[in-house]
Amino acid sequence: MLQLSYRPLLLELRHPFRIATGMRTHTNAVLTEISMEGLTGFGEAAMPPYYGENHDTAAAFLEKAASLLAGFRFRRIDAAFIAETMATIDALAPGNNAAKASIDIALHDLWGKTENKPLWKLLEVSQKNMPPTSFTLGIDTPEVLREKMAEAADFSMLKIKLGSDDDRQIIRTVRELSNKPIFADANQGWKNREAALDLVYWLQEQDVVLVEQPFHKDDLESAAWLSERSPLPVIADESFQRLSDLNRIAGCFQGVNIKLMKCTGLSEGIRAAHAARGYGLQLMVGCMTETSCGISAAAALAPLCDYADIDGCWLIGNNPFAAPMLENGRILLSGCAGVGAV
Ligand code: MG
């Protein structure tokens, strides 16, 4: 029998977070626990408002999942068991992707704990393939950007949110403060193809290494137009939620940003990573503002990816877990059993 419990958590952002589509100071999250025979796996749902989940929707979904899991006869937990369980969980209701991810992460944590091994070892990934992770700076005034830059000291890459009218000025301000390579994320904020292409050429000169989600998520024609001409890889974020989206968007971008909270967790995330490679796509692993629980789970996916933007736990002020260790701007995979959030 698997016993599921959960509690809501309001993640406090260290700075008000401004992107092209809005501003916020908190993120709704839920911590999910799944227990079996004295061991407990931890999972997390992080629910930014634009994906439509909140504490109430998560609670309603997790109640259903709890009844289902309580009826499970005990079996050895392994990747196949988790994949099978997640397929059943997924079929309970559409959407609820972050709530589903919290179950998937808790099951992976529990798998590691029952085997007394770190999850990344069970997934057979290696620290030597870990890409450096970027540190995200929201749209802000030069004064605030200066302050945030100090918080990015341990990171070797920056992620800058663009998509406002003064994108060049934001990059110039950052460049006065730092020469670290930059991931530029327009968050659907660009409206004009030609202007976007001009900007991308200029961004390349500023040592920007990729551009994320230039146009509205449904404007795949513009994404394809830019991808064809862009000197930098164009990565799908909002246009790519789940594995089932790949077929539709693969020809329109050079890469996809996989986030556990969008794709219902590691089971599907790993499958999406392999499927995306099959389309010749580059891979980024991303995150929401999350605790170290979600971030540590994402870190186990990161060695399969070219780029990592998994800094969410450093952007909140009330992380209930210790932050992962960093080495040369890379998250150090933990030696603890399970996901590694302690
Ligand atoms: Mg993004």
Side-chain angles (χ1 to χ4, degrees):
M1 174 177 162
L2 296 167
Q3 205 166 15
L4 183 148
S5 61
Y6 59 90
R7 65 184 169 93
L9 191 64
L10 201 56
L11 304 179
E12 296 161 11
L13 309 191
R14 288 170 70 180
H15 299 279
F17 195 61
R18 199 168 291 116
I19 64 173
T21 48
M23 197 272 274
R24 68 179 199 273
T25 56
H26 290 80
T27 301
N28 285 320
V30 168
L31 289 182
T32 298
E33 298 187 7
I34 299 179
S35 301
M36 183 190 76
E37 298 184 341
L39 292 171
T40 299
F42 297 105
E44 170 182 14
M47 303 176 289
Y50 44 84
Y51 286 125
E53 292 182 74
N54 56 49
H55 285 149
D56 294 338
T57 63
F61 185 81
L62 291 170
E63 288 296 343
K64 275 190 213 165
S67 321
L68 180 88
L69 292 176
F72 271 35
R73 298 248 310 273
F74 170 71
R75 276 175 45 191
R76 184 193 155 97
I77 293 187
D78 57 17
F81 170 80
I82 297 174
E84 209 177 293
T85 304
M86 286 310 299
T88 312
I89 295 284
D90 196 20
L92 279 177
N96 293 286
N97 295 359
K100 289 170 185 173
S102 78
I103 297 170
D104 169 276
I105 295 168
L107 288 172
H108 279 90
D109 193 35
L110 190 57
W111 177 25
K113 286 171 175 166
T114 56
E115 298 285 338
N116 198 26
K117 284 186 180 149
L119 174 64
W120 59 270
K121 281 198 176 161
L122 295 170
L123 297 176
E124 299 178 337
V125 297
S126 155
Q127 181 71 40
K128 73 176 186 342
N129 297 323
M130 179 64 83
T133 189
S134 57
F135 185 83
T136 304
L137 305 179
I139 297 171
D140 245 311
T141 60
E143 295 71 41
V144 179
L145 279 176
R146 202 159 283 130
E147 191 185 318
K148 288 180 176 175
M149 208 61 76
E151 295 167 14
D154 292 339
F155 296 82
S156 57
M157 321 229 14
L158 299 174
K159 176 152 168 181
I160 309 293
K161 295 294 196 177
L162 299 181
S164 73
D165 287 337
D166 39 34
D167 286 348
R168 281 182 172 79
Q169 191 49 50
I170 290 169
I171 296 290
R172 280 193 201 101
T173 306
V174 171
R175 277 289 168 254
E176 280 168 24
L177 301 166
S178 166
N179 55 13
K180 292 175 183 176
I182 291 174
F183 299 152
D185 188 352
N187 282 114
Q188 317 181 66
W190 294 346
K191 308 291 178 226
N192 178 287
R193 295 178 184 185
E194 302 284 350
L197 185 60
D198 276 354
L199 184 55
V200 174
Y201 271 102
W202 183 82
L203 290 172
Q204 186 189 30
E205 290 166 13
Q206 309 302 314
D207 202 13
V208 168
V209 297
L210 59 80
V211 172
E212 214 179 301
Q213 197 65 45
F215 306 108
H216 187 273
K217 63 185 171 60
D218 298 324
D219 188 0
L220 297 181
E221 266 181 41
S222 293
W225 184 92
L226 185 64
S227 290
E228 224 167 80
R229 294 161 177 81
S230 168
L232 298 176
V234 180
I235 308 290
D237 183 2
E238 287 87 340
S239 295
F240 171 72
Q241 305 291 318
R242 298 195 59 172
L243 178 55
S244 53
D245 297 324
L246 260 186
N247 189 34
R248 193 171 48 87
I249 63 133
C252 309
F253 294 89
Q254 275 104 7
V256 289
N257 184 339
I258 300 176
K259 296 179 180 172
L260 300 184
M261 298 303 151
K262 295 189 301 187
C263 75
T264 72
L266 280 164
S267 302
E268 184 167 316
I270 292 168
R271 282 195 293 138
H274 292 301
R277 288 294 191 206
Y279 282 102
L281 291 167
Q282 298 187 10
L283 295 180
M284 175 180 231
V285 55
C287 64
M288 310 301 178
T289 36
E290 299 173 14
T291 77
S292 303
C293 181
I295 295 301
S296 301
L301 181 64
L304 300 178
C305 301
D306 306 292
Y307 314 106
D309 174 37
I310 43 176
D311 59 343
C313 63
W314 286 279
L315 304 177
I316 59 173
N318 60 339
N319 187 0
F321 306 98
M325 302 284 285
L326 286 167
E327 192 178 70
N328 301 323
R330 290 168 165 80
I331 288 184
L332 212 48
L333 293 165
S334 156
C336 295
V339 159
V342 284

